[in-house]
């Protein structure tokens, strides 16, 4: 007897666009080609990941989440669940980046205030470079999560310039 495939579940996952076709095919007991043919036949649109990304970005920018248009309710729920999971993960990443930034700030501040430790930076410039790179990296992480950077431009300072400043 042939296995019955949950086509509503396949359609929901396909439209949500949150997992690969290969994974979906394995999960639902069919092939990738069959899923593609059915999606083409019934006009399923696979745009959930873009919608999810927009919802997560809006959350961190403090804006209302964009509406999910022309999608079945099950797809909307799947997108929302995935967006909530990403928001939680990125919130943890944001918290970690802020903590690391604060630690680097305190270390650099203490070095500047207590001259007896300054020789450690002069003897081994790698220490200062590590603190500087940690600072730069965590600021970039925070900016990306908050959506503060325009992806069309890259205003970050090249590492070669950072190295030159450290050497001076």
């Amino acid at each position: 007897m042939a296995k019955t495939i949950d086509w509503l579940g396949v359609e929901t996952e396909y439209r949500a666009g949150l997992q690969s076709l290969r994974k979906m095919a394995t999960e639902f007991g069919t092939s990738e080609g069959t899923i593609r043919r059915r999606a083409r036949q019934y006009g399923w649109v696979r745009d959930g990941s873009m919608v999810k990304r927009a919802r997560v970005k809006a959350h961190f920018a403090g804006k209302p989440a964009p509406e999910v248009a022309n999608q079945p309710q099950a797809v909307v729920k799947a997108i929302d669940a995935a967006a909530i999971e990403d928001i939680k993960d990125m919130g943890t990443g944001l918290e970690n980046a802020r903590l690391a930034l604060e630690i680097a700030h305190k270390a650099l501040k203490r070095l500047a205030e207590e001259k007896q430790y300054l020789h450690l930076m002069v003897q081994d410039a790698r220490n200062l470079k590590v603190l500087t790179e940690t600072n730069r990296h965590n600021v970039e992480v925070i900016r990306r999560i908050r959506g503060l950077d325009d992806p069309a431009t890259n205003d970050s300072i090249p590492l070669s310039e950072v190295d030159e400043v450290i050497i001076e």
Side-chain angles (χ1 to χ4, degrees), residues 69-82:
N70 303 323
Q71 296 288 347
Q73 191 60 34
V75 172
V76 174
K77 284 184 179 180
I79 291 170
D80 283 345

Side-chain angles (χ1 to χ4, degrees), residues 11-13 15-18 47-48 51-52 55 66-84:
E11 179 184 2
T12 298
E13 291 297 323
R15 286 180 182 262
L18 303 174
D47 65 353
V51 173
K52 178 190 76 158
R55 292 175 80 82
E67 292 299 319
V68 181
N70 303 323
Q71 296 288 347
Q73 191 60 34
V75 172
V76 174
K77 284 184 179 180
I79 291 170
D80 283 345
I84 288 167

Side-chain angles (χ1 to χ4, degrees), residues 26 38 43 48 70 72 77 81 85 94-95 116 118 130 149 158:
T26 302
R38 189 136 178 144
N70 303 323
K77 284 184 179 180
E85 188 176 319
L94 186 60
E95 187 178 334
Q116 74 241 27
L118 198 57
V130 167
D149 291 330

Side-chain angles (χ1 to χ4, degrees), residues 108 111 121 124-133 166:
L108 287 168
L111 287 170
M121 293 298 129
D124 192 354
R126 289 178 296 188
N127 294 328
L128 183 57
K129 183 177 179 181
V130 167
L131 286 171
T132 304
E133 287 176 1
I166 291 172

